Amino acid sequence: FDSPIKEAVSPMVKFFIDSNKNVIYSLSLGQPTAESGTLTVTENCDNSDTKKANCGVQKYWCMDKTMNKTWAKIHTHKYPVFSKSRWPCEDHGFDSEDLCGSCTAAGCGPVCALSADVFYKEEVKHGDTIKAGIFDFDNSEIGGTCALILSLFIMMGGLM
């Protein structure tokens, strides 16, 4: 059932604020927990480029497919898309099944990722929760506050 009210109001809402649902959903999933072991990265790495993983010893994370799929939809210009060469263990010569096949913790799954803590901190925790609209400022908190104040004025006007 498609709501006619939602279809009528949606363009106006998106004019003011369009939320980044993938960042919000990723926040609800929480940060994955690092595995106890480490990997020595020697393939497809470069210490001078943020788009490639750093060489050397790194922690790795085993993530479930839901988290991996959601993170792959988050993208800013600082880092590459999560599914690209910097993050997956496979792109650095490691097998996810060997590393994460026996993972049983909550949120843990068959997808192995390097530097997931960096991605979570920069793109999810401090990510932009507003992706478009006139309230899309550099700081999502300011944009959210402005949208809240506007919505309160609209509700008060509707009550008068």
Side-chain angles (χ1 to χ4, degrees):
F1 171 72
D2 291 329
S3 168
I5 295 173
K6 182 178 179 181
E7 289 182 27
V9 174
S10 183
M12 184 178 70
V13 171
K14 287 190 179 198
F15 173 76
F16 290 107
I17 188 168
D18 188 11
S19 61
N20 191 338
K21 292 171 180 64
N22 294 309
V23 171
I24 295 167
Y25 183 53
S26 294
L27 285 168
S28 73
L29 295 173
Q31 182 175 359
T33 305
E35 294 299 307
S36 58
T38 58
L39 301 174
T40 303
V41 178
T42 58
E43 292 182 27
N44 194 18
C45 56
D46 181 359
N47 288 330
S48 65
D49 186 3
T50 60
K51 297 196 184 277
K52 294 184 179 180
N54 291 333
C55 294
V57 177
Q58 293 197 16
K59 293 181 184 178
Y60 68 94
W61 282 255
C62 295
M63 303 165 47
D64 65 16
K65 290 180 182 180
T66 302
M67 186 178 291
N68 184 58
K69 185 178 177 182
T70 305
W71 282 22
K73 295 176 185 175
I74 298 171
H75 178 62
T76 64
H77 299 290
K78 184 171 182 182
Y79 291 108
V81 176
F82 189 72
S83 59
K84 300 297 182 205
S85 64
R86 175 185 170 125
W87 315 106
C89 294
E90 290 84 7
D91 290 351
H92 301 282
F94 302 103
D95 184 25
S96 281
E97 186 62 35
D98 290 344
L99 296 169
C100 299
S102 61
C103 184
T104 58
C108 193
V111 180
C112 178
L114 299 173
S115 304
D117 59 333
V118 173
F119 188 88
Y120 183 83
K121 180 182 175 188
E122 297 294 327
E123 303 290 336
V124 177
K125 187 174 181 184
H126 299 294
D128 195 6
T129 56
I130 301 172
K131 65 180 178 181
I134 62 171
F135 293 133
D136 183 16
F137 302 123
D138 288 338
N139 185 334
S140 291
E141 292 172 356
I142 294 171
T145 302
C146 291
L148 176 64
I149 292 169
L150 176 66
S151 68
L152 290 173
F153 279 123
I154 290 171
M155 285 190 323
M156 286 189 311
L159 292 173
M160 293 183 169

